Amino acid sequence: MTERPESPVLDNPGSDRVKSVRALSGRSARRRTGTFLAEGPQAVREAVAAHAAGTTTTGEATTTGEAAGVVRALYLTPQAAERHGTLVRTALDHRIRTVRVTDRVLAAMADTVTPQGMLAVCALRDVPLSAVLDGGPRLVAVLDRVRDPGNAGTVLRAADAAGADAVVLTSSSVDVHNPKCVRSTAGSLFHLPVVTGIDLSRAVEALRGAGLRIHATSGAGDLDLDDLLDDPDAPGGLAGPTAWIFGNEARGLGEADLALADDAVRVPVHGRAESLNLATAATVCLYASARSQRRGTGCRTGRAQNPHGARP
Amino acid sequence: MTERPESPVLDNPGSDRVKSVRALSGRSARRRTGTFLAEGPQAVREAVAAHAAGTTTTGEATTTGEAAGVVRALYLTPQAAERHGTLVRTALDHRIRTVRVTDRVLAAMADTVTPQGMLAVCALRDVPLSAVLDGGPRLVAVLDRVRDPGNAGTVLRAADAAGADAVVLTSSSVDVHNPKCVRSTAGSLFHLPVVTGIDLSRAVEALRGAGLRIHATSGAGDLDLDDLLDDPDAPGGLAGPTAWIFGNEARGLGEADLALADDAVRVPVHGRAESLNLATAATVCLYASARSQRRGTGCRTGRAQNPHGARP
C-alpha cells in the first residue's frame, strides 16, 4: 500500500481519486467515509505525529497509544517532499500511504487556496464523551451553537494552549472537521480529544456526574471572573475540575442553557465595548482556570511553582 | 443639508453617489476623501453616539467633546429606519445627513453582503500619537506588521474591553479603516483613539518618554505572564503604565523589534499547542494588565474592590 516518494507523480486533476479527496471539503462525504482533510505542513505534521504516537513502525496499533491509522493518506508535491524530509521519513516509517502529486492535483484536492504543498486524509477525530470522562478530566471547554468554523477552531487551539483535557461541540455547533475549522486549530485538533454531536443537557449531566463544576459565560452573569480568580479555592472556585460552556457568537447562551450550569460568569468589561468576541472571551476564561488550577491564589506566599512546562 | 427620512428614497444603484460610497471599500478612496464605511446597526449606532457626544444639537462642536462630524452621512432602508427609530432620531437631532435608500442601493454601496439595512460614511478615526500621550495613557496596545483585518479589529475590540486608552497600528500594519477590520471591532473603533502610520521605533520611544513600560510578546520571552500577574507591583510589573507590542500573526516580532521593548513576555502554554493566535494572546495580555492595574496582587487580604464598572 505504501508508495515510496519515488513512485510516479499523480498528475490528473480530473481523476476519481482527486475528486474523492476534494469531496471531503463537504460534510456528507466526511461522514460517509469517516475521513477529513488536514491541509498544510503544520496540520499534516501534527497528524503524522499523532499517527506515529499510536502505531508501531510495522503499522500495528500500540496498546497505550491512540487508535491506529490517524492518517489514511498523505499527498504532497515533490518540492514539499524535499523541503519536509523528516516529515516524509516519519510518515513512511509508520507505513502511511504517501503519494506525490503535481501542484495542479494538490490545488484540485484542497479546500484551501494555498495548502503549501501537502495535505493528509485523516480519520475523523471525535470520540465518545465517556472516553473523555474515563481520563478524569479537570478542564473541559463546551461549545454550544457555535456556528463559525474559525471561532470554533480558535477556541480549540486556545483550549489546547490552556491545557484543557477535551473540547465538546454540541449537536447544534459547526462541524469541527470543516476545513476552515481544522485550519484555525493550527494542529490542536490532533492534540486533545474532541466530542461532537451531543446535546448540551446530556453533556452537562455527564460532566457534572464526573465531578466537574459547570461554569457558563454570560454578559449578565452574577459572578465576575476576576472575583473567581481571587478565590480559586472557595467552594465552586476555579481550582477544582471545571467545564466552561460558551454559547453562540452573536446571541450567547439562552436562558434555558444558562440554567443548566452551576454558575453564570461574566468576563469583566472595563472599557466601552459591549463584550469580547467568543474566542477571546473563551480564552480569558480558560486561562483563568489554567492559572487557578496550577497556582492557587496567585499570592507570592506559599504558591507552588508552575509544574507545567511554560517554555524556557 | 439634512434630509428628513420622509424625503425621496435613493433608488439608482448606478448613480455617482452610490459609486463614491462603494469606493470607500478601497484604501485610496478612503485616504482621498478622509472617510470610511461603518456598516450595520451596531457600528452605525456607535458612530452616531460618538458624533452626538462631540456636537451640540445645532451641529456645533462641543468644547470638551470629540471633533465635530464623526458621521458625514447615514444611508438606510425605510424598513431599517422604522426598526431603529431612536437611532434615526438621534442622527436627525444632531444634524446628521440621513438618506433613505432601497435595498439594492444599500447592497451596491456596501462591502458587507448583509449590512442589515444601514451604513454610515464617517470621518477617519486616526489621531496623532501626541494626542494620546496628552491624556496620560496607562494601557496601550501596539500592533506591528499585523496584516489580517479581522485580527486587528478583534484586538482593538479586546483593548476596548480591557479598558485600554489607545491602540497604535504601525505603518506596516493593515488599514484599520478596512471594512472587515471595522466590522471586527464591533463598534470599538468609535470608543478609543487609534494611531496609525507610525514607525514602531518612534512609537516605542514616544510611549516610553510618556512613562509607559514597553512589554513585547514572544513565545521565547524570558518573562512568564503568570509571574508578572503574581507580582504586579514589582519594578516593571503590570500595575504601572504599560504598552504591549504584538507582532505579525504568523511570524511574531522580529529580533530587532523585540529589542526595542523593555521586556519580552511569553504567554504560558500548558498543553501541546505551539502558541495562541494573535488576537487571543493579545487579549490574555491586555486582561492581565487590566487586572494588575485594578486589583494589585489579587490576594484577598488588602485588595481593593474593582472601581471600574464590571457590569451588574
Side-chain angles (χ1 to χ4, degrees):
Chain A
M1 284 293 283
T2 300
E3 303 174 41
R4 309 298 304 184
E6 292 71 27
S7 61
V9 175
L10 213 66
D11 63 0
N12 177 7
S15 74
D16 285 347
R17 198 204 292 205
V18 172
K19 283 180 191 156
S20 70
V21 172
R22 169 72 206 199
L24 297 176
S25 293
R27 183 168 192 150
S28 62
R30 291 197 293 270
R31 283 292 143 189
R32 192 177 67 245
T33 61
T35 61
F36 74 107
L37 290 178
E39 301 178 334
Q42 184 182 37
V44 170
R45 192 178 302 115
E46 300 306 311
V48 168
H51 185 105
T55 57
T56 66
T57 52
T58 58
E60 303 288 311
T62 62
T63 49
T64 54
E66 150 150 35
V70 173
V71 181
R72 300 294 169 78
L74 168 57
Y75 298 97
L76 75 178
T77 63
Q79 297 87 328
E82 199 163 312
R83 203 173 323 127
H84 300 277
T86 311
L87 174 58
V88 173
R89 245 184 329 272
T90 308
L92 292 172
D93 284 350
H94 289 271
R95 309 179 77 81
I96 290 173
R97 184 179 166 207
T98 301
V99 184
R100 287 189 305 163
V101 300
T102 61
D103 286 334
R104 284 185 60 220
V105 163
L106 195 74
M109 286 176 160
D111 180 77
T112 312
V113 179
T114 53
Q116 297 175 265
M118 65 175 75
L119 60 78
V121 173
C122 302
L124 296 179
R125 298 292 300 162
D126 47 336
V127 299
L129 182 56
S130 57
V132 169
L133 299 181
D134 287 349
R138 291 183 48 79
L139 182 57
V140 175
V142 180
L143 302 187
D144 185 50
R145 297 171 210 262
V146 171
R147 306 289 191 185
D148 180 81
N151 282 337
T154 303
V155 175
L156 205 148
R157 177 178 178 183
D160 181 14
D165 300 294
V167 173
V168 176
L169 292 102
T170 65
S171 40
S172 49
S173 290
V174 67
D175 183 0
V176 74
H177 299 103
N178 169 308
K180 182 151 189 272
C181 183
V182 176
R183 275 198 293 285
S184 301
T185 72
S188 288
L189 182 55
F190 297 99
H191 293 165
L192 77 176
V194 178
V195 178
T196 67
I198 186 171
D199 276 347
L200 181 63
S201 59
R202 206 156 64 77
V204 165
E205 196 181 342
L207 288 162
R208 187 180 283 127
L212 287 87
R213 189 165 181 100
I214 316 295
H215 287 300
T217 53
S218 165
D222 50 359
L223 293 179
D224 180 297
L225 186 66
D226 266 332
D227 289 335
L228 292 179
L229 271 165
D230 285 338
D231 270 321
D233 298 313
L238 293 177
T242 299
W244 283 98
I245 315 177
F246 306 113
N248 175 269
E249 35 272 271
R251 295 182 311 279
L253 287 165
E255 283 293 323
D257 294 340
L258 267 179
L260 294 172
D262 299 310
D263 306 292
V265 180
R266 65 180 186 279
V267 177
V269 172
H270 304 292
R272 291 165 59 208
E274 202 179 295
S275 62
L276 288 168
N277 83 356
L278 166 67
T280 52
T283 306
V284 169
C285 292
L286 292 166
Y287 263 80
S289 279
R291 179 173 168 81
S292 297
Q293 292 188 350
R294 285 170 166 77
R295 298 225 164 181
T297 62
C299 298
R300 259 291 175 209
T301 47
R303 78 181 165 84
Q305 278 301 312
N306 176 1
H308 291 264
R311 34 197 70 181
Chain B
M1 285 294 283
T2 302
E3 302 175 41
R4 308 298 304 183
E6 293 72 26
S7 61
V9 175
L10 213 67
D11 63 359
N12 177 7
S15 73
D16 284 347
R17 197 203 296 203
V18 172
K19 282 180 191 155
S20 70
V21 172
R22 170 70 205 200
L24 298 176
S25 294
R27 183 168 192 151
S28 62
R30 291 197 293 271
R31 283 292 145 190
R32 193 178 64 245
T33 60
T35 61
F36 73 108
L37 290 177
E39 301 178 335
Q42 186 183 34
V44 170
R45 193 179 302 115
E46 300 307 312
V48 168
H51 185 106
T55 57
T56 65
T57 51
T58 58
E60 303 289 311
T62 62
T63 48
T64 55
E66 143 152 42
V70 172
V71 180
R72 300 293 169 81
L74 168 57
Y75 296 97
L76 75 178
T77 63
Q79 296 87 328
E82 200 163 312
R83 204 172 322 125
H84 301 278
T86 310
L87 174 58
V88 174
R89 245 183 331 272
T90 306
L92 293 172
D93 285 349
H94 290 272
R95 309 179 78 82
I96 289 174
R97 184 177 165 209
T98 301
V99 183
R100 288 190 305 164
V101 300
T102 61
D103 286 333
R104 285 185 60 218
V105 164
L106 195 74
M109 286 176 160
D111 179 78
T112 312
V113 179
T114 52
Q116 296 176 267
M118 65 175 75
L119 61 78
V121 174
C122 302
L124 296 180
R125 299 293 298 162
D126 47 335
V127 299
L129 182 56
S130 58
V132 168
L133 299 181
D134 287 348
R138 291 183 48 78
L139 183 56
V140 174
V142 181
L143 302 188
D144 185 50
R145 296 170 210 263
V146 171
R147 306 288 191 185
D148 181 81
N151 281 337
T154 303
V155 175
L156 205 149
R157 178 179 176 182
D160 181 16
D165 299 295
V167 173
V168 176
L169 292 102
T170 65
S171 40
S172 49
S173 290
V174 68
D175 182 2
V176 74
H177 298 104
N178 168 309
K180 182 149 190 274
C181 183
V182 176
R183 277 198 291 286
S184 302
T185 73
S188 289
L189 182 55
F190 297 100
H191 294 164
L192 78 175
V194 178
V195 178
T196 66
I198 187 172
D199 276 346
L200 181 63
S201 59
R202 206 156 64 78
V204 164
E205 194 181 343
L207 289 162
R208 187 181 282 127
L212 287 87
R213 189 165 180 98
I214 316 295
H215 287 300
T217 53
S218 165
D222 49 358
L223 293 180
D224 180 295
L225 185 67
D226 266 332
D227 289 336
L228 291 179
L229 271 165
D230 286 339
D231 270 321
D233 297 314
L238 292 177
T242 299
W244 283 99
I245 314 177
F246 307 113
N248 176 269
E249 33 273 271
R251 296 182 310 279
L253 287 165
E255 283 295 322
D257 293 341
L258 267 178
L260 295 171
D262 299 309
D263 306 291
V265 180
R266 65 180 185 278
V267 176
V269 171
H270 304 293
R272 291 165 57 207
E274 202 179 295
S275 63
L276 288 167
N277 82 358
L278 165 68
T280 52
T283 306
V284 169
C285 292
L286 292 166
Y287 263 79
S289 279
R291 180 173 168 81
S292 297
Q293 293 189 348
R294 286 170 167 76
R295 298 225 166 182
T297 62
C299 296
R300 258 291 172 210
T301 47
R303 79 181 164 84
Q305 278 302 309
N306 176 3
H308 290 265
R311 34 198 68 181

